[in-house]
């Protein structure tokens, strides 16, 4: 017998305000990345480019931390309340992927 594992599509409701906040942060990060690209085009000094890369990475990490905090406080808590123990394995897998 062949076991078929169908991936369940998960969604997360976000309020209009939450979406706007996240999109604004992503737009700023996108601008940072475009700025790095422009620095490369302009043959800017390596040190300056590396500083901008570091700043962009910190921005992404900060966004990721905010998303993780929200995920744990909402999605994971809701699954635990529903007695869905699979969420524990999901969180363990998530942490292993984040490192």
């Amino acid at each position: 017998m062949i076991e078929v594992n169908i991936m369940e599509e998960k969604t997360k409701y976000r309020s209009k305000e939450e979406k706007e906040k996240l999109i604004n942060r992503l737009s700023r990060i996108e601008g940072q990345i475009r700025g790095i690209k422009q620095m490369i085009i302009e043959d800017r000094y390596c040190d300056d480019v590396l500083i901008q890369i570091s700043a962009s990475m910190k921005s992404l990490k900060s966004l990721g931390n905010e998303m993780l905090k929200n995920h744990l406080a909402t999605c994971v808590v809701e699954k635990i309340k529903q007695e869905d123990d699979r969420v524990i394995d999901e969180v363990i897998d998530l942490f292993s992927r984040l490192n």
Side-chain angles (χ1 to χ4, degrees), residues 8 74-84 86-87:
E8 64 180 271
T74 60
C75 302
V76 173
V77 167
E78 185 61 33
K79 295 273 187 176
I80 290 171
K81 286 180 181 178
Q82 295 171 1
E83 298 182 4
D84 185 351
R86 295 176 300 170
V87 73

Side-chain angles (χ1 to χ4, degrees), residues 2 5 19 28 30 34-35 37-38 50 59 67 70 88:
I2 297 175
N5 201 359
K19 283 183 186 179
R28 284 194 300 276
E30 186 178 33
R34 280 195 307 271
K37 181 179 178 182
Q38 189 60 39
L50 289 167
S59 295
M67 293 288 301
N70 182 273
I88 302 302

Side-chain angles (χ1 to χ4, degrees), residues 1-97:
M1 176 186 230
I2 297 175
E3 184 177 328
V4 179
N5 201 359
I6 300 173
M7 298 285 292
E8 64 180 271
E9 184 173 327
K10 298 176 186 177
T11 59
K12 162 70 169 137
Y13 172 78
R14 292 179 179 86
S15 68
K16 181 179 178 185
E17 295 80 19
E18 185 180 2
K19 283 183 186 179
E20 286 177 359
K21 182 180 169 183
L22 292 170
I23 289 169
N24 286 338
R25 287 182 76 171
L26 284 166
S27 293
R28 284 194 300 276
I29 293 167
E30 186 178 33
Q32 288 177 303
I33 302 302
R34 280 195 307 271
I36 294 167
K37 181 179 178 182
Q38 189 60 39
M39 292 174 83
I40 299 295
I41 291 169
E42 295 171 357
D43 294 324
R44 298 278 296 273
Y45 189 62
C46 297
D47 192 23
D48 296 333
V49 176
L50 289 167
I51 289 169
Q52 290 306 312
I53 290 171
S54 177
S56 297
M57 291 169 62
K58 286 178 184 176
S59 295
L60 274 172
K61 184 163 183 70
S62 174
L63 176 61
N65 286 339
E66 187 66 29
M67 293 288 301
L68 177 59
K69 182 173 113 180
N70 182 273
H71 177 60
L72 293 172
T74 60
C75 302
V76 173
V77 167
E78 185 61 33
K79 295 273 187 176
I80 290 171
K81 286 180 181 178
Q82 295 171 1
E83 298 182 4
D84 185 351
D85 294 339
R86 295 176 300 170
V87 73
I88 302 302
D89 291 332
E90 179 185 290
V91 170
I92 291 168
D93 184 55
L94 176 62
F95 278 110
S96 70
R97 290 172 182 251

